[in-house]
C-alpha cells in the first residue's frame, strides 16, 4: 500500500487526480491536504469520499504550516508527496502577488523540508509551462531557461528551483512536471474556458483580452493526470517532464468552440482591455514524456468541447459559486471597468 499526500487535492486538477489515482491504483491510500481557499472545495471530492472511504483521508491545512505539515507526514506514514497546492490565477497574481509568493514559494519549501526530515520516497512538484515565459517561435523543452513574466509564473519558477536545489543539496528524490492549460470538470469559473462556457450559457458577454490571438495548449485534465501518474511510475529522479497536447490554438478559436458547442451567437464576444504583460504564446515539446509511453487522448478542440458540455450538464456545481459574494466582487473588480469601456 502506497501512502500519498496530495496537497491542493480539493482544487481543480488535484481533485481529478485523486479520483483518477484511486481508481487506477487499488493499493493506494490518498491523504488530501488542502487549505480550502476560494478555489478548493470539498464538493469536488464528495463522490471520492463516499466511494473510496477506506482509502481516502482529508486534512484541512495550509502548506505553510510547518507543525501541521510535519505531524501529518509523520503520523500518516506518507511515502509520496504530490504538490498541487498553489495560488494559480494569473489575473489574481496581478491584483495581489503576496499570497502567491507565500504559498507557491514558501509553501513548497515547507513541504520539501518535511519530505527531507521524514525520508519521503518521492516528492513530485506540479508545475506549469508558464515558467518558460512566452514562446513566440518553436517549443519549450525541459532544458530551456526559465523566463517567467507574471508574479504567478515567477512564484512557480522559484518553487521549481527550490525543488531542484533539494535534489542537488540533499539528494531528495524529486520529479517535476510542467503542464499546459488544463480544462475539464471542477475548474473554478475564473479561468477562461469555464468562465466563457458559463457566461455563454447565461448569454452574458465573453470578455476576450486584446485581439484574442494569444495561443494556449488547452489539454484535458485527465491527460495531465495520466501524465503525472506516468512520471511518478516511470520518470527518472531529478528530471522534469512537460505535459500537454503539444499543439496550441488561439483564444479566438477556443472562444468559437465554446459558442458552437452551446449554440450561442458570436455577438457575445466582447474584446476588452488586455491583461498587463500578457504572454502571447506558450508551446510545449512533450516528446520526453512520450518516450515513457504516455500519450494524450484529447486534442485542444476536443478538450474544450468536452469541458463545455460538463458545465452545461452541471449547473448545480457552478451556479452557487457564481452567485456568491466572493465571486461577484472578484468579477466586478476584474471586469467591471473593462466591460464598461468596451
Ligand atoms: P486550483 O486553484 O483549482 O486549486 C488550488 C488548490 O490548492 C485549492 O484546492 C486550494 O484550496 C489549495 N491551496 C491553495 N493555497 C494553499 C495552501 N497555502 N495550503 C494548502 N492548500 C492550498 O488550481 P489548479 O488549476 O488545480 O492547479 C493545481 C496545480 O497545477 C498548481 O500548482 C498549478 O500551478 C498547476 N498547474 C495548473 C494548470 C492549469 O491550467 N490550471 C496548468 C499547469 C499547472
Ligand atoms: O499554462 C498553464 C497555466 O494556465 C496554469 O499554470 C495556470 O494556473 C492557469 O490559470 C492557466 O493560465 P492562463 O493565464 O493561460 O489561463 P487563463 O484561463 O487565465 O487564460 C487563458 C487565456 O485566455 C489567456 O491568454 C488569457 C485569456 N483570457 C483569460 C480570461 C480569464 C481572456 O481572454 N479573457 C479572460 O477573461
Amino acid at each position: 500500500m502506497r501512502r500519498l499526500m496530495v496537497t491542493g487535492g480539493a482544487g481543480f486538477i488535484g481533485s481529478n487526480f485523486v479520483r483518477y489515482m484511486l481508481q487506477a491504483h487499488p493499493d493506494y491510500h490518498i491523504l488530501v491536504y488542502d487549505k480550502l481557499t476560494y478555489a478548493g472545495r470539498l464538493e469536488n471530492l464528495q463522490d471520492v469520499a463516499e466511494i473510496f472511504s477506506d482509502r481516502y483521508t482529508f486534512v484541512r491545512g495550509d502548506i505553510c504550516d510547518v507543525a501541521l505539515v510535519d505531524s501529518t507526514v509523520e503520523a500518516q506514514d506518507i511515502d509520496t508527496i504530490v504538490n498541487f497546492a498553489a495560488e494559480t490565477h494569473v489575473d489574481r497574481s496581478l491584483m495581489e502577488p503576496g499570497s502567491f509568493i507565500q504559498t507557491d514559494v514558501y509553501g513548497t519549501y515547507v513541504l520539501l523540508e518535511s519530505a527531507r526530515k521524514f525520508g519521503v520516497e518521492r516528492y513530485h512538484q506540479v508545475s506549469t509551462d508558464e515558467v518558460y515565459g512566452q514562446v513566440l517561435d518553436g517549443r519549450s523543452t525541459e532544458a530551456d531557461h526559465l523566463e517567467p513574466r507574471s508574479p504567478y509564473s515567477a512564484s512557480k519558477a522559484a518553487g521549481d528551483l527550490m525543488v531542484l536545489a533539494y535534489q542537488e543539496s540533499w539528494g531528495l528524490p524529486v520529479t517535476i512536471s510542467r503542464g499546459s492549460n488544463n480544462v475539464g470538470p471542477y475548474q473554478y469559473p475564473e479561468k477562461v474556458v469555464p468562465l466563457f462556457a458559463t457566461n455563454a450559457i447565461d448569454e452574458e458577454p465573453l470578455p476576450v483580452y486584446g485581439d484574442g490571438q494569444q495561443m494556449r495548449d488547452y489539454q484535458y485534465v485527465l491527460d495531465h493526470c495520466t501524465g503525472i501518474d506516468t512520471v511518478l511510475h516511470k520518470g527518472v529522479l531529478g528530471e522534469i517532464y512537460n505535459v500537454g497536447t503539444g499543439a496550441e490554438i488561439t483564444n479566438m478559436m477556443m472562444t468559437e468552440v465554446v459558442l458552437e458547442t452551446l449554440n450561442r451567437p458570436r455577438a457575445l464576444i466582447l474584446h476588452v482591455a488586455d491583461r498587463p504583460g500578457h504572454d502571447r504564446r506558450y508551446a510545449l515539446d512533450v516528446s520526453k514524456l512520450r518516450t515513457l509511453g504516455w500519450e494524450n487522448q484529447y486534442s485542444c478542440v476536443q478538450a474544450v468541447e468536452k469541458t463545455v458540455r460538463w458545465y452545461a450538464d452541471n449547473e448545480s456545481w457552478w451556479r452557487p459559486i457564481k452567485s456568491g459574494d466572493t465571486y461577484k466582487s472578484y468579477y466586478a473588480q476584474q471586469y467591471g471597468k473593462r466591460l464598461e469601456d468596451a
Side-chain angles (χ1 to χ4, degrees):
M1 172 80 69
R2 306 289 304 184
R3 296 188 65 83
L4 274 68
M5 176 157 104
V6 177
T7 52
F12 162 46
I13 309 174
S15 61
N16 280 284
F17 178 76
V18 169
R19 184 176 295 102
Y20 163 76
M21 289 296 278
L22 286 168
Q23 280 162 0
H25 302 286
D27 55 333
Y28 280 22
H29 181 278
I30 295 189
L31 181 141
V32 169
Y33 183 100
D34 197 296
K35 185 180 175 182
L36 298 182
T37 67
Y38 75 96
R41 314 184 79 77
L42 279 180
E43 302 94 279
N44 300 355
L45 289 165
Q46 202 177 315
D47 59 323
V48 166
E50 286 161 12
I51 300 167
F52 300 105
S53 56
D54 52 336
R55 295 194 286 124
Y56 163 79
T57 310
F58 179 81
V59 172
R60 184 171 190 177
D62 190 330
I63 60 167
C64 302
D65 181 341
V66 176
L68 187 58
V69 167
D70 280 357
S71 62
T72 306
V73 171
E74 187 178 27
Q76 297 286 334
D77 207 13
I78 297 299
D79 55 54
T80 304
I81 295 177
V82 183
N83 180 29
F84 289 89
E87 288 294 338
T88 61
H89 191 33
V90 173
D91 289 324
R92 286 186 193 255
S93 83
L94 296 165
M95 291 172 176
E96 189 269 309
S99 60
F100 287 72
I101 297 161
Q102 181 69 10
T103 291
D104 303 6
V105 186
Y106 181 76
T108 297
Y109 146 75
V110 171
L111 294 174
L112 287 165
E113 196 55 28
S114 193
R116 182 165 85 93
K117 230 180 290 179
F118 298 105
V120 163
E121 290 165 30
R122 175 71 73 89
Y123 177 93
H124 181 79
Q125 178 78 349
V126 180
S127 186
T128 167
D129 59 0
E130 301 204 8
V131 298
Y132 298 116
Q134 63 179 358
V135 186
L136 301 181
D137 299 302
R139 305 197 159 273
S140 305
T141 74
E142 293 82 353
D144 285 1
H145 285 120
L146 305 188
E147 295 182 22
R149 297 175 1 118
S150 73
Y152 164 67
S153 52
S155 302
K156 291 295 291 185
D160 284 14
L161 294 176
M162 196 57 75
V163 172
L164 296 173
Y166 268 68
Q167 197 253 336
E168 290 294 339
S169 309
W170 292 290
L172 193 73
V174 305
T175 40
I176 296 176
S177 54
R178 293 188 176 140
S180 65
N181 288 60
N182 282 224
V183 294
Y186 306 110
Q187 187 169 32
Y188 194 82
E190 64 186 354
K191 307 283 168 64
V192 74
V193 171
L195 173 69
F196 283 12
T198 55
N199 278 16
I201 288 167
D202 285 344
E203 309 210 26
E204 295 285 334
L206 311 191
V208 171
Y209 293 161
D211 63 7
Q213 293 307 311
Q214 309 84 7
M215 301 196 83
R216 294 290 185 272
D217 175 349
Y218 293 101
Q219 68 170 321
Y220 196 63
V221 64
L222 203 54
D223 282 332
H224 190 192
C225 294
T226 58
I228 295 170
D229 190 15
T230 302
V231 174
L232 282 174
H233 288 95
K234 298 182 181 167
V236 175
L237 292 182
E239 292 289 316
I240 299 165
Y241 296 87
N242 291 339
V243 194
T245 73
E248 46 296 326
I249 59 174
T250 64
N251 284 335
M252 284 309 290
M253 197 183 294
M254 172 276 294
T255 305
E256 275 156 22
V257 173
V258 171
L259 291 171
E260 276 161 24
T261 309
L262 293 167
N263 199 21
R264 292 289 191 268
R266 289 192 95 253
L268 289 178
I269 297 174
L270 193 61
H271 288 272
V272 299
D274 208 348
R275 171 187 280 174
H278 196 168
D279 286 338
R280 196 72 181 161
R281 176 175 179 263
Y282 301 131
L284 285 178
D285 179 332
V286 295
S287 52
K288 185 171 172 183
L289 184 57
R290 288 199 170 122
T291 63
L292 300 185
W294 172 88
E295 278 297 335
N296 59 304
Q297 298 293 308
Y298 301 92
S299 68
C300 291
V301 169
Q302 289 168 334
V304 173
E305 284 170 349
K306 195 169 163 65
T307 301
V308 170
R309 282 197 290 272
W310 187 85
Y311 281 84
D313 292 342
N314 288 276
E315 294 196 8
S316 62
W317 182 82
W318 58 265
R319 284 217 182 271
I321 297 175
K322 283 194 93 166
S323 58
D325 290 343
T326 310
Y327 187 87
K328 281 184 180 164
S329 85
Y330 165 77
Y331 200 82
Q333 192 183 350
Q334 179 63 17
Y335 296 101
K337 185 161 179 344
R338 276 190 163 95
L339 291 170
E340 219 175 273
D341 292 349

